Amino acid sequence: DAGVIQSPRHEVTEMGQEVTLRCKPISGHDYLFWYRQTMMRGLELLIYFNNNVPIDDSGMPEDRFSAKMPNASFSTLKIQPSEPRDSAVYFCASRLSGRAIDTQYFGPGTRLTVL
Amino acid sequence: GEDVEQSLFLSVREGDSSVINCTYTDSSSTYLYWYKQEPGAGLQLLTYIFSNMDMKQDQRLTVLLNKKDKHLSLRIADTQTGDSAIYFCAENNDYKLSFGAGTTVTVRA
């Protein structure tokens, strides 16, 4: 089975530009999570969805960040306008509820550099 | 994750045992996890322990849980160069995972 797929793997952009990160969860999983990883803050949960509905977006840093999940197999995280402090690795993870072992499966991440 | 704390670095000689420690705060967590992150990759679930257990062994890995002190540890026996990575402790809380800052393990020859 394919794991969680993220694109692009690397993104370099200039301050002020719009950035869109993409995620395809594992087929059949009903939860999707977006995380950000930086040296200073470690791994932060930004937002998560259950059955395509945003449940908790309290980790989204500010209004420049938005996330959508139009269907069960696709989600986007958008930053507009981007700033240098947004530079980080962004991970998407998915989870299947009701399993004996409750865990999340992570994608390989998108490394974002904002110049 | 502010609720999960772990030391940041560990250096170990190849063939020795590694012990990574973690403290957590949510006593209602059903599971506690150890994730491994290799360079340039996402996090992979390494092992887990159910909260009503105090020890779990899986080949070279031993997880110890002290619920009274909210302390979790991961022991890697016969550490190999392929074990060099960042190890994250995590607790589950209402479908979310709270992660520690990660312990960078460096294996030296």
Side-chain angles (χ1 to χ4, degrees):
Chain A
D1 286 341
V4 175
I5 298 172
Q6 291 187 247
S7 65
R9 292 295 312 275
H10 301 274
E11 176 81 31
V12 180
T13 190
E14 291 188 345
M15 183 173 64
Q17 297 297 306
E18 177 180 295
V19 174
T20 300
L21 311 181
R22 296 174 176 79
C23 175
K24 177 177 167 56
I26 294 173
S27 177
H29 282 198
D30 54 347
Y31 281 82
L32 184 140
F33 304 81
W34 281 102
Y35 292 89
R36 177 171 69 175
Q37 185 179 37
T38 61
M39 289 292 291
M40 293 297 294
R41 295 175 177 267
L43 201 61
E44 302 173 277
L45 175 64
L46 301 178
I47 184 171
Y48 77 95
F49 296 82
N50 176 220
N51 292 322
N52 314 339
V53 176
I55 303 300
D56 184 352
D57 65 354
S58 60
M60 295 285 261
E62 46 197 279
D63 292 345
R64 297 184 296 107
F65 286 70
S66 62
K68 294 182 180 179
M69 192 164 186
N71 57 62
S73 58
F74 183 66
S75 177
T76 59
L77 177 68
K78 187 176 290 187
I79 308 172
Q80 165 64 15
S82 58
E83 296 182 3
R85 61 194 168 116
D86 302 330
S87 297
V89 181
Y90 291 81
F91 289 103
C92 175
S94 69
R95 167 185 177 267
L96 177 61
S97 60
R99 296 190 68 178
I101 306 304
D102 186 4
T103 189
Q104 296 177 19
Y105 296 85
F106 282 75
T110 295
R111 181 173 294 277
L112 173 65
T113 302
V114 183
L115 302 174
Chain B
E2 58 189 82
D3 298 328
V4 181
E5 294 186 356
Q6 50 184 127
S7 53
L8 294 182
F9 301 99
L10 176 67
S11 178
V12 61
R13 189 176 301 174
E14 189 175 9
D16 288 352
S17 292
S18 308
V19 179
I20 308 168
N21 295 300
C22 166
T23 56
Y24 62 96
T25 57
D26 189 350
S27 58
S28 66
S29 295
T30 310
Y31 291 96
L32 293 140
Y33 309 86
W34 285 102
Y35 280 80
K36 178 182 180 182
Q37 183 181 28
E38 296 183 353
L43 279 69
Q44 286 188 300
L45 180 65
L46 191 62
T47 188
Y48 63 92
I49 188 165
F50 191 50
S51 59
N52 69 352
M53 300 169 65
D54 51 22
M55 185 180 94
K56 178 181 177 182
Q57 187 140 5
D58 183 2
Q59 299 183 332
R60 294 189 298 119
L61 306 177
T62 303
V63 180
L64 296 178
L65 175 60
N66 180 330
K67 283 196 75 174
K68 173 175 169 289
D69 296 336
K70 297 191 180 69
H71 182 265
L72 182 74
S73 69
L74 173 69
R75 179 177 179 269
I76 306 172
D78 186 25
T79 310
Q80 304 297 307
T81 54
D83 296 324
S84 291
I86 305 175
Y87 292 81
F88 292 88
C89 168
E91 59 177 353
N92 73 323
N93 178 1
D94 194 24
Y95 310 126
K96 297 188 293 186
L97 292 177
S98 294
F99 288 90
T103 300
T104 299
V105 174
T106 303
V107 182
R108 58 187 193 277

